[in-house]
Structures are given as structure tokens and as C-alpha cells.
């Protein structure tokens, strides 16, 4: 009889265990692992928001080197050569690259360096990481922050063309390129500038105008605890 | 299988003694418990597999340990789960993060990683980490020479107070003198401490180790099932500053062999010079402030120095075997993964034999790549054009020669001559008309 009671006791314990296991199984399915499904930390509030729709560039402004030039679309020729507009005061945007505001690909722009001076990108090599770059489009001005400035020989550029300009990767980074290394009859290298996309400032008038025109309502100005200032951008 | 059946059979027989229905319940409950336990275990393990990245890489620019307390800066990690890359860490940390250690001068610690998925689904990862002079930037992650540009930097590996290695024990060092002349004992005892202090003003007092560095970097690449890495060292010389004299101790190879032997650098060739300097310093000290009322004779002074110097030589013995040791391009490979350390330096590694951490350990450029896997389908399904992505340019021809001054002068001269000719012709015609 005692043995029978012990059996009942074990059976009762086993039932509780089964219930516990089932509860854990359900919990395992229901509760997501923070390492897998946890959302990213939203971080501090930003002064920027994404451009509503990627748009063709119209004007390039780099305050640090006094560059302010109209942007025209250009194409790569059959030999794989990308040549800026013949007017060396203008900047060319490779029209097969990403439009400013795009979340993928890379936006490639190039302008002439003129050996005797006056080229729109003569001072590109003087840029430093942190410098602000602005690209105006019909739908707003996209801000970028310079991350890298470096020199590649022509051969290195050709070797790394996919990493530098390929459209199968990237997050809308801006790439500026011009020539450097004048030998007396030719240029040996390229200066390359990488700039990460910050977005459109919340107080950008063009973006506001475009939003109100297309949405027929007031532009939502987000209030922030602390607005970024130009020195933040330069960091 | 047979034993399994017999086992259950036996169990049933034993259970026949229990009240009816209990046997079945226990069987079901035990089976359910086992299934539940297995399920829970599987669920516990499942996230490990689910979270296994398709591609991954890590980079650590620099880690510095002083007397066993390490500090790392420039640690960056990239992983890709097949849909997106997640990157953590700071790629260009300020050197000031080294807890106030004034070891590095102007320089750049750089770390960069990437973890992507190729169009065919292969997980691709690359990493680069190292140290270079100011102005250096990472040119292309995964290349053998990924830190580009920059100036060379001076690295002070710190001043090593070697005098702490030597203790003046009158019983053992000066004991023989006392035995020879009991009077000396009373004379030497007060100056033992002073002798120890005097050593600090000799080349033993401080030995400065310095390094002149162009760039030190490690890089690696990995694809599913394969990984490779390399270390690249540019213009690195390590030297010592002994009593104001700078001596180059070792110049590192640009492309160090993989897992090459340790480079141990010692002061064996310099010990005689150091001891000669110490001997002169001691003589000077004994003739001056250390001589109590000029009671020491020249003979005793010579005996003191002669007794002390061999002991110093003995104390300096560890420095003749290893002042510092270097490991370059240390690589550990496993299936589809690699770990590369460009440079590992330990100052006074011999101390570890006595259970004391090396005085200073410096690791520059540590990267890992892989293991990577392959995803079944391409990570993105948003082709914008039916033919795929456009081919990027191979040449950016954005340079102009500018105006040729000589040609401009010639053109202007020709224009002026034409103008003058035209004016002359008009004047001649007017003259004819009149």
C-alpha cells in the first residue's frame, strides 16, 4: 500500500514536471531571444531624417574647401572611363550610381582638377574626416559627413573599382573623386573622399516645401532634446 | 534493441504489483517528461544555431598591458546574419583612451571590419587593424596593406628602472670586505643605502626603450571554408636609450614570416659598457659624498667597487638573455577561420619566470576572420535592373593640364599681328580712296 502511495506521489510529481516543461516550451516559442530578435537601440534623437524619395543631385557644396558647383549627370563610356563635365567649374554625377537619399548603393561624383588652378575639385585633397558635404536635390538637401580621404593610383582604383563604386553594396555613401599627381603631362592618381549620409536636416526648407506640397499638410518638425550644431557634424 | 524490449518487459512485470492504471500513467508521464526535456534542451540550443552568422570578422587595433593590467582600444566587430551587417566598436579611437598612458606619441590606431554576403550567397568577411602615423587612413579592408598614408611616429616603450633589479646587501656583496678588514664594516654600513641611491644616477637608473614606427598592421579575409591573413610592418626600428646614447637594437622585417621564431633582444653586447659607466660613477661617489669624513682609503674604495661590480653583472644577467621579446605575424588557422596578430612585444619577459607579469606587453594589429557560411538565396531580392548592377568605372579621368602659357602668348601675338594687319589694310584703302 505504501508502495502504491509512493507511485501516486511520483505520478503527481511527473505531471507537474510535464506541465512545467510544456510551460517552458511555450515560453521558449513566445519569448524572443534578445540577441536575435531584439531591436536596435534607437540611440539619441537626431537632427536628421531620411530624404523622402531619392532624388537627382543638383548642387554640390563643400564649405571646408569653398566648393559650390552645379551637378550634371554623366555616363561611363564603353572603355569604362568616367569623365566629368567639360566645364571644369561643374561636377559630374555618375547617373547609374545611387541618387542622394538612397539607402543602398553609393553616390559617385567627380569634378576636374586643373593643374594651373581653377578646377572645381582642385582642393579636394585638402578635405579632412568630419567635414560637412551637402548635396541639394529637388526634394531637399542631403548632408554627409566625410569619413575618409585617401589617394589611390590609377591602377589601384581600377583594382578596387567594385569596392569603391560598386552599386551592389553600400548604404548611400557619397564618393567624391578627382585627379592628383601631375607629372607634367599626365595625372598618376586619384583623390577619393568617402562621406556617410546623415540625411536631411529637419529644418530644411526644400524638404518642408516638398512634404507640404505632396502631403497637403504641415511639415512635422520634430522637437529634440538637443539640436546638433555644425561642430557636432565636424566631429 | 532486444535489451530495450526486455527492459520494458521487466519494468511491466515489476509494475504489475502496483495498482491498476498507474503503470500506464507512469509510462506516459515519463515519456512526456523525456520529450519535454529534449524539447526544452533543443530550444535552449536552437538560438545558438539560429544566431550563427553567415560572415564575421573582428579587429583590435592595439592592446597594452602594464604590469599585467591590459587595456584595448580600437575593437571592432562585424557580423552578418544573411540579411544585414551589424557592426560594433570604434574604427578610429583616440589614443588618449589608453588610460592616460603616455606611451604613444602622435599616431592613429585604426580598426575596420566588414561582413557581407556575396550575390551567390557566400559569406564574405574582412578585417584590418593596426597602428600608423598621424594622417593614416584605412584604404581598403582586407588588403595586405590596408593602412595608407601617414607619417612615422615615435613610440616610447617606457623607462625601465633597472636599478630596482639590484639590491645592495652588505652581508652578501660587501661581506667579503668586512671579513678582510673589520674596520670596513663600520664604515660601509652607513653608505649602503647611499650606494643604492647612487646606482639610480647610473645607466642602470633608467633605460628608455623607443620605437620608430611607420605602420604595423594585420589583415585577413574569409569565405566559406577558406581564410587567409597577413601582417605588414613598415619602417619599424626598436632601440634603447642608455645614459643618453641611443642604440638601435632591432629593425623589423617588412613581411615577417608566418609564425616565425621569437625575436629576443638583449643587452649582452652593451653590458660591459654599462658596467664601465657604473664603475666610474661609483668611484666618483665614493670620493665624494659617500666617503664619511674621508675615512675610506683608496684601497678600500677599489675593493668596494670591485666587490660590487661582479654582483651587478650577475644582477644584470636577465638582461643578457631577454630585454624584450617579439612575436611577429602569429597566425592560427582552423577550418575557414583565421586569427592574425601582427606584433606582440613583451618588455622584460624574464620576469614572468618569477611569477611577475612582464613589465609591459604591447599587441598591435589583431584580426580574426570567419568562419563563414553560405546562405541559400541571395540576401536581397530587389534588383533594380534586369541586367543587375551597372559596371562601375575603371578610370576616373578628372584632370586637366590647364592653360599653356607659352601657347597663349603665341596666340595673343598672332591675334595682335592680324589686328595690326587689318588696321593697316583699312588705312591703305582709305588713302587710295582719297
Amino acid at each position: 500500500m505504501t508502495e502504491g502511495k509512493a507511485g501516486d506521489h511520483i505520478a503527481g510529481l511527473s505531471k507537474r514536471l510535464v506541465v512545467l516543461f510544456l510551460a517552458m516550451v511555450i515560453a521558449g516559442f513566445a519569448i524572443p531571444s534578445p540577441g536575435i530578435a531584439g531591436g536596435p537601440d534607437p540611440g539619441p534623437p537626431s537632427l536628421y531624417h531620411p530624404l523622402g524619395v531619392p532624388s537627382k543631385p543638383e548642387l554640390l557644396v563643400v564649405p571646408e574647401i569653398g566648393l559650390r558647383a552645379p551637378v550634371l549627370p554623366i555616363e561611363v563610356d564603353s572603355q569604362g572611363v568616367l569623365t566629368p563635365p567639360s566645364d571644369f567649374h561643374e561636377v559630374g554625377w555618375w547617373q547609374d550610381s545611387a541618387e542622394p537619399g538612397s539607402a543602398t548603393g553609393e553616390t559617385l561624383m567627380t569634378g576636374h582638377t586643373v593643374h594651373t588652378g581653377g578646377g572645381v575639385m582642385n582642393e579636394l585633397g585638402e578635405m579632412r574626416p568630419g567635414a560637412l558635404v551637402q548635396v541639394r536635390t529637388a526634394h531637399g538637401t542631403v548632408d554627409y559627413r566625410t569619413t575618409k580621404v585617401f589617394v589611390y593610383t590609377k591602377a589601384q582604383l581600377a583594382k578596387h573599382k567594385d569596392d569603391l563604386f560598386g552599386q551592389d553594396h553600400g548604404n548611400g555613401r557619397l564618393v567624391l573623386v578627382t585627379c592628383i599627381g601631375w607629372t607634367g603631362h599626365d595625372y598618376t592618381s586619384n583623390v577619393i573622399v568617402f562621406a556617410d549620409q546623415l540625411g536631411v536636416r529637419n529644418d530644411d526648407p526644400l524638404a518642408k516645401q516638398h512634404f507640404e506640397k505632396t502631403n497637403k499638410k504641415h511639415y512635422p518638425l520634430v522637437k529634440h532634446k538637443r539640436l546638433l550644431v555644425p561642430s557636432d557634424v565636424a566631429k | 534493441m532486444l535489451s530495450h524490449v526486455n527492459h520494458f518487459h521487466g519494468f511491466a512485470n515489476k509494475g504489475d504489483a502496483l495498482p491498476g492504471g498507474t503503470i500506464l500513467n507512469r509510462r506516459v508521464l515519463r515519456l512526456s517528461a523525456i520529450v519535454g526535456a529534449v524539447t526544452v534542451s533543443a530550444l535552449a540550443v536552437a538560438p545558438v544555431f539560429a544566431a550563427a552568422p553567415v560572415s564575421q570578422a573582428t579587429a583590435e587595433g592595439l592592446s597594452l598591458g602594464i604590469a599585467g593590467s591590459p587595456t584595448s582600444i580600437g575593437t571592432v566587430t562585424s557580423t552578418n546574419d544573411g540579411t544585414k551587417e551589424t557592426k560594433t566598436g570604434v574604427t578610429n579611437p583616440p589614443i588618449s583612451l589608453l588610460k592616460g598612458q603616455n606611451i604613444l606619441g602622435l599616431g592613429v590606431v585604426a580598426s575596420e571590419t566588414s561582413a557581407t554576403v556575396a550575390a551567390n550567397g557566400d559569406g564574405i568577411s574582412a578585417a584590418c587593424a593596426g597602428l600608423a602615423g598621424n594622417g593614416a587612413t584605412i584604404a581598403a579592408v582586407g588588403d595586405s596593406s590596408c593602412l595608407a598614408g601617414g607619417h612615422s611616429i615615435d613610440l616610447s616603450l617606457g623607462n625601465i628602472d633597472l636599478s630596482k633589479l639590484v639590491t645592495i646587501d652588505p652581508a652578501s656583496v660587501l661581506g667579503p670586505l668586512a671579513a678582510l678588514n673589520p674596520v670596513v664594516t663600520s664604515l660601509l654600513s652607513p653608505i649602503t643605502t647611499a650606494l643604492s641611491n647612487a646606482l639610480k644616477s647610473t645607466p642602470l637608473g633608467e633605460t628608455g626603450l623607443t620605437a620608430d614606427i611607420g605602420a604595423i598592421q594585420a589583415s585577413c579575409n574569409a569565405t566559406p571554408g577558406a581564410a587567409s591573413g597577413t601582417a605588414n610592418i613598415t619602417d619599424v626600428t626598436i632601440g634603447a636609450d642608455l645614459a643618453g646614447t641611443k642604440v638601435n637594437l632591432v629593425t623589423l622585417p617588412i613581411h615577417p614570416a608566418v609564425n616565425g621564431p621569437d625575436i629576443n633582444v638583449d643587452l649582452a653586447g652593451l653590458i660591459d659598457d654599462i658596467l664601465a659607466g657604473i664603475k666610474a660613477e661609483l668611484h666618483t661617489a665614493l670620493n665624494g659624498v659617500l666617503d664619511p669624513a674621508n675615512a675610506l682609503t683608496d684601497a678600500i674604495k677599489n675593493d668596494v667597487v670591485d666587490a660590487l661590480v661582479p654582483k651587478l653583472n650577475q644582477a644584470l644577467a636577465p638582461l643578457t638573455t631577454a630585454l624584450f621579446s617579439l612575436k611577429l605575424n602569429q597566425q592560427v588557422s582552423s577550418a575557414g577561420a583565421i586569427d592574425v596578430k601582427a606584433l606582440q612585444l613583451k618588455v622584460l619577459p624574464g620576469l614572468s619566470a618569477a611569477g611577475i607579469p612582464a613589465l609591459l606587453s604591447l599587441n598591435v594589429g589583431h584580426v580574426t576572420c570567419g568562419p563563414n557560411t553560405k546562405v541559400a538565396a541571395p540576401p536581397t531580392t530587389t534588383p533594380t535592373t534586369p541586367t543587375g548592377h551597372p559596371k562601375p568605372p575603371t578610370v576616373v579621368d578628372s584632370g586637366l593640364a590647364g592653360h599653356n602659357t607659352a601657347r597663349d602668348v603665341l596666340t595673343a601675338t598672332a591675334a595682335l599681328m592680324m589686328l595690326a594687319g587689318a588696321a593697316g589694310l583699312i588705312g591703305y584703302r582709305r588713302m587710295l580712296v582719297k
Side-chain angles (χ1 to χ4, degrees):
Chain A
M1 192 64 187
T2 306
E3 197 173 308
K5 280 184 179 177
D8 290 342
H9 183 68
I10 291 170
L13 188 64
S14 300
K15 279 179 184 172
R16 290 191 198 102
L17 277 174
V18 169
V19 170
L20 179 64
F21 283 138
L22 288 174
M24 291 173 73
V25 168
I26 292 165
F29 280 111
I31 302 171
S33 167
I36 302 165
D41 182 0
S46 169
L47 175 62
Y48 296 94
H49 66 271
L51 186 65
V53 54
S55 308
K56 290 181 170 47
E58 296 177 346
L59 184 76
L60 175 67
V61 180
V62 187
E64 186 174 87
I65 57 172
L67 190 161
R68 184 181 180 87
V71 181
L72 303 178
I74 53 175
E75 288 185 47
V76 176
D77 70 14
S78 58
Q79 304 300 311
V81 179
L82 184 68
T83 306
S86 55
D87 183 343
F88 54 75
H89 298 106
E90 294 172 339
V91 170
W93 162 64
W94 177 35
Q95 63 182 4
D96 285 336
S97 69
E99 292 180 338
S102 170
T104 59
E106 308 193 55
T107 303
L108 173 58
M109 294 188 196
T110 178
H112 275 301
T113 285
V114 181
H115 166 59
T116 51
V120 68
M121 287 195 174
N122 264 40
E123 310 300 324
L124 194 68
E126 301 301 315
M127 286 183 67
R128 291 289 174 266
L132 176 70
V133 180
Q134 296 178 302
V135 178
R136 196 176 77 189
T137 73
H139 299 145
T141 299
V142 183
D143 284 6
Y144 298 81
R145 183 177 56 197
T146 304
T147 55
K148 289 184 176 68
V149 182
F150 57 98
V151 174
Y152 262 176
T153 62
K154 298 281 185 183
Q156 285 175 314
L157 183 138
K159 180 185 172 189
H160 296 289
K161 66 181 190 308
D162 292 319
D163 292 332
L164 293 169
F165 315 132
Q167 297 301 310
D168 57 347
H169 62 274
N171 54 1
R173 176 176 67 181
L174 177 65
V175 182
L176 303 176
V177 184
T178 192
C179 281
I180 196 171
W182 175 250
T183 62
H185 54 82
D186 202 358
Y187 288 87
T188 60
S189 307
N190 289 104
V191 175
I192 301 162
V193 172
F194 287 163
D196 281 351
Q197 190 172 207
L198 298 171
V200 181
R201 288 178 66 99
N202 290 330
D203 54 0
D204 180 64
L206 273 176
K208 183 181 176 186
Q209 187 184 348
H210 175 70
F211 180 88
E212 290 177 346
K213 188 176 174 185
T214 52
N215 293 281
K216 307 290 184 193
K217 59 182 180 181
H218 287 297
Y219 186 65
L221 277 177
V222 182
K223 286 186 179 178
H224 297 287
K225 292 175 186 171
R226 174 179 168 271
L227 291 181
L228 290 176
V229 294
S231 60
D232 290 327
V233 175
K235 282 175 187 173
Chain B
M1 188 65 194
L2 186 62
S3 62
H4 191 65
V5 171
N6 287 339
H7 170 75
F8 273 88
H9 182 68
F11 178 78
N13 286 339
K14 283 180 185 174
D16 286 344
L18 296 174
T22 306
I23 303 165
L24 186 61
N25 277 347
R26 287 183 62 183
R27 276 188 181 176
V28 170
L29 287 172
R30 281 190 180 184
L31 188 62
S32 302
I34 290 167
V35 170
V38 169
T39 308
V40 169
S41 302
L43 281 172
V45 176
V48 175
F49 293 107
V54 175
S55 60
Q56 56 191 318
T58 68
E60 180 187 77
L62 186 149
S63 77
L64 176 70
I66 295 176
S69 53
T71 304
S72 295
I73 60 172
T75 302
V76 180
T77 302
S78 284
T79 56
N80 194 310
D81 62 1
T83 58
K84 66 180 188 306
E85 180 178 7
T86 304
K87 183 182 276 190
T88 60
V90 182
T91 54
N92 286 106
I95 285 176
S96 58
L97 289 179
L98 277 174
K99 291 183 180 173
Q101 295 299 334
N102 189 23
I103 283 182
L104 283 165
L106 292 174
V108 172
V109 173
S111 311
E112 188 62 281
T113 54
S114 71
T116 57
V117 178
N120 65 358
D122 283 353
I124 309 289
S125 61
C128 168
L131 171 70
N134 243 9
T137 54
I138 291 195
V141 183
D143 273 16
S144 62
S145 183
C146 49
L147 277 167
H151 309 285
S152 66
I153 55 172
D154 290 324
L155 180 71
S156 169
L157 299 174
N159 292 325
I160 303 163
D161 189 353
L162 300 178
S163 66
K164 289 178 180 171
L165 296 175
V166 182
T167 53
I168 305 298
D169 181 359
S172 60
V173 177
L174 303 177
L177 285 177
L180 289 173
N181 186 350
V183 179
V184 173
T185 307
S186 60
L187 295 173
L188 290 178
S189 294
I191 66 170
T192 304
T193 307
L195 269 176
S196 295
N197 291 333
L199 285 172
K200 291 179 181 173
S201 63
T202 67
L204 268 183
E206 284 187 344
T207 299
L209 280 180
T210 59
D212 188 30
I213 293 176
I216 300 171
Q217 56 194 298
S219 59
C220 61
N221 292 282
T223 55
S228 62
T230 185
N232 197 302
I233 292 171
T234 310
D235 299 333
V236 176
T237 300
I238 297 179
D241 196 345
L242 297 168
T245 305
K246 191 168 183 178
V247 183
N248 284 346
L249 297 173
V250 61
T251 298
L252 304 186
I254 295 173
H255 297 293
V258 175
N259 296 333
D262 290 8
I263 300 174
N264 289 308
V265 177
D266 58 57
L267 294 178
L270 300 171
I271 289 296
D272 288 345
D273 292 339
I274 293 172
L275 288 178
I278 291 172
K279 206 170 176 178
E281 294 277 351
L282 288 176
H283 270 295
T284 305
L286 287 170
N287 285 331
V289 293
L290 295 186
D291 188 350
N294 296 317
L296 295 176
T297 64
D298 286 345
I300 292 175
K301 291 172 187 171
N302 287 336
D303 285 345
V304 168
V305 174
D306 289 345
L308 200 54
V309 167
K311 290 293 178 184
L312 289 176
N313 197 2
Q314 191 180 340
L316 292 172
L319 304 184
T320 63
T321 54
L323 175 63
F324 60 87
S325 70
L326 278 166
K327 289 176 187 288
L328 303 176
N329 199 5
Q330 295 296 300
Q331 298 190 9
V332 178
S333 297
S334 56
I338 193 165
D339 182 313
V340 184
K341 292 173 181 166
L343 179 143
Q344 297 170 278
L345 180 144
K346 284 187 177 179
V347 177
L348 289 179
L351 295 178
S352 59
I356 304 169
L359 188 65
L360 181 144
S361 61
L362 176 70
N363 296 332
V364 179
H366 179 196
V367 292
T368 67
C369 289
N372 297 348
T373 57
K374 187 180 179 78
V375 291
T380 54
T381 54
T382 53
T384 51
T385 57
T387 55
H389 295 288
K391 287 177 70 176
T394 52
V395 175
V396 180
D397 187 14
S398 51
L400 293 176
H403 302 294
N404 186 317
T405 308
R407 191 174 59 199
D408 287 350
V409 170
L410 195 63
T411 306
T413 306
L416 283 172
M417 287 179 70
M418 285 180 67
L419 195 62
L425 192 63
I426 292 168
Y428 181 67
R429 286 191 63 183
R430 282 182 177 172
M431 190 178 72
L432 288 179
V433 170
K434 286 178 181 177

